[in-house]
């Protein structure tokens, strides 16, 4: 295995770990708001690490750019989706767990 | 700096042409044969974007400062929530925090609202007039100071000054 493979594998495994932690949070956290925290933040970082791990192996700069673009689009979607879900929950009168 | 003053349309045009060209290059993975068609779509996309959205004032320096800040805080946010989710005692103390915007309504506010949800322990839940309701994962953390720091960074990025006097000084740098 070359150094690139090692770096890439490390990033991918770490990224997968954050997805796993996000899912653990989804299952363990008590209400919709805290679960949103787990999903948006852990998955944002997990996907970022996976994209970085794949970009290291990319055949061209353009392919790496495409991966970065995917990460950016997911970030935008998850930030706004998270806000909308939280707002809808608040407007329906779901009280945050304390 | 020469970026001061109203944003000239020429600069916006050049920037958007460059951005859409970059996008086409990325999407086609740099195939040279795609450019005759690509340049047509780059021009069309630029024209459409100018029709839909007027030039946005932003600062290159503000952007260069915002990107590492955002990446570092994303990392912290992910590590923080992953840690809290996996510790057996579940160390969370959630609650709602009301934050009064210093930024004027508009792009900068929308941008800040979106970014908050990706930062450590905060999630933007609702906006009522000038107040933002932020759900925090841990009330013991100093989220308010973090939000103010973020607001200054976003203000610098969009070249608007948050309204309190002491922050306008940091704005001009």
């Amino acid at each position: 295995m070359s150094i690139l493979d090692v770096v890439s594998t490390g990033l991918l495994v770490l990224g997968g770990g954050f997805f796993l932690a996000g899912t653990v949070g989804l299952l363990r956290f008590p209400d919709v708001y805290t679960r949103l925290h787990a999903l948006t933040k852990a998955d944002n970082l997990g996907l970022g690490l996976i994209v970085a791990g794949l970009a290291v192996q990319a055949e061209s700069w353009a392919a790496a750019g495409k991966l970065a673009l995917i990460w950016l689009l997911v970030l935008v979607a998850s930030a706004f989706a998270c806000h909308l879900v939280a707002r809808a929950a608040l407007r329906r009168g779901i009280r945050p767990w304390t | 700096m020469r970026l001061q003053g109203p944003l000239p349309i020429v600069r916006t045009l050049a920037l958007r042409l460059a951005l859409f060209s970059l996008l086409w290059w990325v999407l086609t993975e740099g195939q040279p044969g795609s450019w005759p068609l690509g340049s047509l779509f780059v021009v069309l996309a630029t024209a459409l974007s100018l029709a839909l959205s007027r030039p946005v004032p932003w600062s290159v320096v503000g952007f260069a400062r915002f990107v590492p800040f955002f990446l570092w805080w994303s990392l912290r946010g992910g590590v923080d929530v992953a840690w809290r989710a996996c510790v057996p005692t579940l160390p969370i103390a959630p609650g709602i925090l009301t934050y009064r915007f210093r930024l004027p309504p508009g792009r900068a506010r929308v941008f800040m609202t979106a970014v908050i949800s990706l930062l450590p322990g905060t999630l933007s839940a609702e906006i009522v007039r000038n107040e933002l309701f932020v759900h925090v994962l841990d009330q013991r953390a100093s989220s308010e100071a973090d939000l103010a720091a973020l607001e200054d960074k976003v203000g610098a990025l969009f070249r608007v000054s948050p309204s309190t006097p002491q922050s306008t000084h940091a704005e001009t740098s």
Side-chain angles (χ1 to χ4, degrees), chain B:
Chain B
M1 264 175 75
R2 67 188 174 83
L3 298 176
Q4 296 296 337
L7 196 71
I9 190 79
V10 181
R11 243 191 56 193
T12 306
L13 190 71
L15 184 72
R16 291 193 186 178
L17 276 174
L19 270 179
F20 284 118
S21 303
L22 184 70
L23 188 62
W24 182 267
W25 175 73
V26 161
L27 288 177
T28 57
E29 298 197 1
Q31 286 174 19
S34 72
W35 279 107
L37 189 63
S39 40
L40 173 68
F41 279 107
V42 164
V43 171
L44 286 176
T46 306
L48 185 64
S49 91
L50 283 174
L52 290 174
S53 127
R54 287 180 303 151
V56 184
W58 65 288
S59 145
V60 179
V61 178
F63 181 74
R65 285 191 185 150
F66 182 80
V67 170
F69 165 85
F70 174 76
L71 291 178
W72 171 239
W73 281 40
S74 288
L75 182 69
R76 270 183 48 199
V79 171
D80 174 73
V81 82
W83 170 75
R84 288 178 199 276
C86 295
V87 168
T89 54
L90 206 64
I92 56 170
I96 297 265
L97 174 117
T98 314
Y99 184 79
R100 181 170 280 277
F101 272 121
R102 288 179 289 134
L103 289 171
R107 268 176 230 275
R109 265 194 197 183
V110 173
F111 186 80
M112 178 174 168
T113 309
V115 170
I116 283 173
S117 302
L118 299 171
L119 297 187
T122 51
L123 190 157
S124 53
E126 175 72 290
I127 306 168
V128 179
R129 291 169 194 271
N130 288 323
E131 291 191 325
L132 178 68
F133 290 76
V134 180
H135 185 269
V136 292
L137 201 50
D138 189 344
Q139 289 177 317
R140 294 159 296 192
S142 60
S143 307
E144 241 156 316
D146 287 355
L147 290 175
L150 171 65
E151 197 165 34
D152 289 338
K153 288 269 192 299
V154 173
L157 174 58
F158 285 98
R159 310 176 76 77
V160 290
S161 31
S163 58
T164 39
Q166 59 265 38
S167 62
T168 50
H169 188 69
E171 257 286 303
T172 52
S173 62

Side-chain angles (χ1 to χ4, degrees), chain A residues 1 6-7 9 13 18 22-23 28-29 31 51 53-54 58 72 74-76 79-81 84-85 89 95-97:
Chain A
M1 254 170 55
V6 175
V7 171
T9 310
V13 169
F18 277 103
T23 311
R28 290 190 71 207
F29 283 166
D31 69 350
V51 159
L54 293 175
L72 204 64
V74 171
L75 278 195
V76 173
F80 284 102
L84 292 175
V85 171
R95 302 256 309 264
W97 180 91

Side-chain angles (χ1 to χ4, degrees), chain A residues 6-42:
Chain A
V6 175
V7 171
S8 172
T9 310
L11 287 168
L12 289 174
V13 169
L14 206 59
F18 277 103
F19 270 103
L20 185 65
T23 311
V24 170
L26 178 68
L27 295 171
R28 290 190 71 207
F29 283 166
D31 69 350
V32 57
Y33 307 102
T34 46
R35 285 176 179 153
L36 280 173
H37 279 279
L39 283 184
T40 50
K41 289 181 251 296

